[in-house]
Amino acid sequence: MPNMETALKEAMSVEGALGVAIVDYSSGLALGTLGASKELDLNVAAAGNTDVVRAKMRTMEMLNLHNETIEDILITLTNQYHIIRPLTRHSSKGIFLYLALDRHRANLAMARHRMKQIEEHLEV
């Protein structure tokens, strides 16, 4: 099982990656980050995207979608893609992967596929 540092490096190897974080959505804190820049504060993104994940989970509960799980949440901006992927392993509940991509350099399908692979092997 890859550790967090390895998972962060693997995510940053995705074409167009700008930054990645592993986030605890119960607290909103980034457990690990890689690739931040002055334009992309990954700690701010971790806290803000925690609200997105919590809101979606509440909505799913209100809709009685108990047999469904979130594979990922995609936010499309003018120049970026932001992918949020909650971890589904029992030992990793309450954690999500967050990846910001340069929209003009990234292949969205490949990025989503790579995030799934990373999530399947990551133990937090």
Side-chain angles (χ1 to χ4, degrees):
M1 295 289 163
N3 63 23
M4 278 198 290
E5 183 178 332
T6 301
L8 292 169
K9 287 178 182 175
E10 288 178 12
M12 282 303 293
S13 72
V14 172
E15 183 68 30
L18 299 171
V20 61
I22 298 174
V23 183
D24 175 345
Y25 65 77
S26 62
S27 67
L29 295 176
L31 303 175
T33 63
L34 190 60
S37 67
K38 65 179 182 171
E39 294 86 27
L40 180 64
D41 184 326
L42 290 170
N43 290 308
V44 171
N49 285 309
T50 293
D51 293 335
V52 172
V53 172
R54 288 179 186 161
K56 188 58 190 171
M57 289 188 169
R58 275 193 312 272
T59 303
M60 288 175 62
E61 188 175 311
M62 290 186 292
L63 293 170
N64 293 316
L65 298 175
H66 303 292
N67 294 329
E68 296 288 334
T69 57
I70 299 170
E71 284 187 30
D72 59 40
I73 299 168
L74 172 65
I75 300 169
T76 305
L77 304 175
T78 305
N79 294 305
Q80 296 179 6
Y81 292 123
H82 292 210
I83 302 172
I84 301 166
R85 185 170 184 94
L87 303 187
T88 56
R89 289 177 172 239
H90 182 69
S91 61
S92 300
K93 290 282 185 183
I95 307 292
F96 68 86
L97 284 169
Y98 164 73
L99 178 64
L101 299 160
D102 179 321
R103 185 173 174 175
H104 305 289
R105 295 186 312 133
N107 177 320
L108 184 56
M110 289 303 295
R112 290 181 70 222
H113 176 72
R114 191 68 190 114
M115 291 288 283
K116 180 180 179 183
Q117 289 177 326
I118 292 167
E119 185 251 334
E120 287 174 350
H121 296 98
L122 176 64
E123 282 289 330
V124 179

